[in-house]
Amino acid sequence: MPPSNATKDVNDLGIRSAYVSTPLSDDHFTCPICLDLYVNIVSIPCGHNYCKGCVEIYWKERNIFTCPDSALAEADKLLEESLRAIERARAEILARIEVKRKEQEDRAGEFIEKIEQDIVELEKKKKEFEKLLEAEDHISFLQV
């Protein structure tokens, strides 16, 4: 007697179980703390699974009773915030350095300009002194 529609296999109807169609990765069988296969697996209230010994040691060492994955997420968040703060500080320092560099460059330009003016004055004085040396009557040259 042929099977009735009610007793047909689920696969015959073209329906597949999610468990069958989705291959499970090693993550489904390994503890996120020790990264090994679960030993005495326990589920904590948030739904994450761990080896009983791993989660007990984790809680004992830290004296906090939160989900290790949540703690890692919080640590990642704090790390990202710290990195952003460091990057902001770095950018601020570089901006300050650039301001100081520009100030020094401006000062150097002013100093160079002053030196160039001094050179022009010294060249004028040199020409006057050379004229004085060439003049036969030094006293008359000075009076003019």
Side-chain angles (χ1 to χ4, degrees):
M1 175 165 152
S4 70
N5 282 343
T7 60
K8 267 192 171 180
D9 187 4
V10 173
N11 289 333
D12 292 341
L13 297 174
I15 300 172
R16 298 187 119 187
S17 164
Y19 180 80
V20 172
S21 65
T22 305
L24 295 177
S25 68
D26 288 344
D27 292 344
H28 289 90
F29 303 106
T30 58
C31 173
I33 297 175
C34 68
L35 304 176
D36 206 350
L37 293 177
Y38 288 114
V39 176
N40 297 326
I41 188 170
V42 293
S43 291
I44 61 175
C46 65
H48 291 117
N49 299 321
Y50 302 96
C51 297
K52 183 179 180 183
C54 290
V55 78
E56 286 174 347
I57 291 170
Y58 179 88
W59 287 339
K60 184 179 179 182
E61 287 177 352
R62 288 159 185 80
N63 201 25
I64 55 170
F65 301 99
T66 60
C67 174
D69 283 341
S70 298
L72 289 175
E74 184 65 26
D76 285 346
K77 181 180 171 185
L78 291 173
L79 178 62
E80 286 178 27
E81 289 173 6
S82 296
L83 290 174
R84 282 193 296 272
I86 289 168
E87 188 54 40
R88 282 191 304 270
R90 179 182 174 273
E92 185 178 316
I93 289 168
L94 289 176
R96 287 181 185 176
I97 288 172
E98 183 59 26
V99 167
K100 292 291 184 185
R101 187 197 61 77
K102 181 68 174 146
E103 288 173 359
Q104 293 298 320
E105 191 175 275
D106 291 346
R107 278 175 155 183
E110 292 170 5
F111 186 69
I112 289 171
E113 195 174 299
K114 173 77 168 100
I115 290 174
E116 288 172 347
Q117 290 172 355
D118 289 347
I119 290 171
V120 169
E121 285 184 39
L122 288 171
E123 286 175 347
K124 283 181 187 177
K125 288 182 181 181
K126 178 183 172 189
K127 286 179 184 177
E128 289 175 5
F129 185 70
E130 287 173 348
K131 283 183 184 179
L132 178 63
L133 290 176
E134 291 174 4
E136 291 181 22
D137 185 8
H138 299 293
I139 295 176
S140 65
F141 179 77
L142 292 174
Q143 291 176 348
V144 175

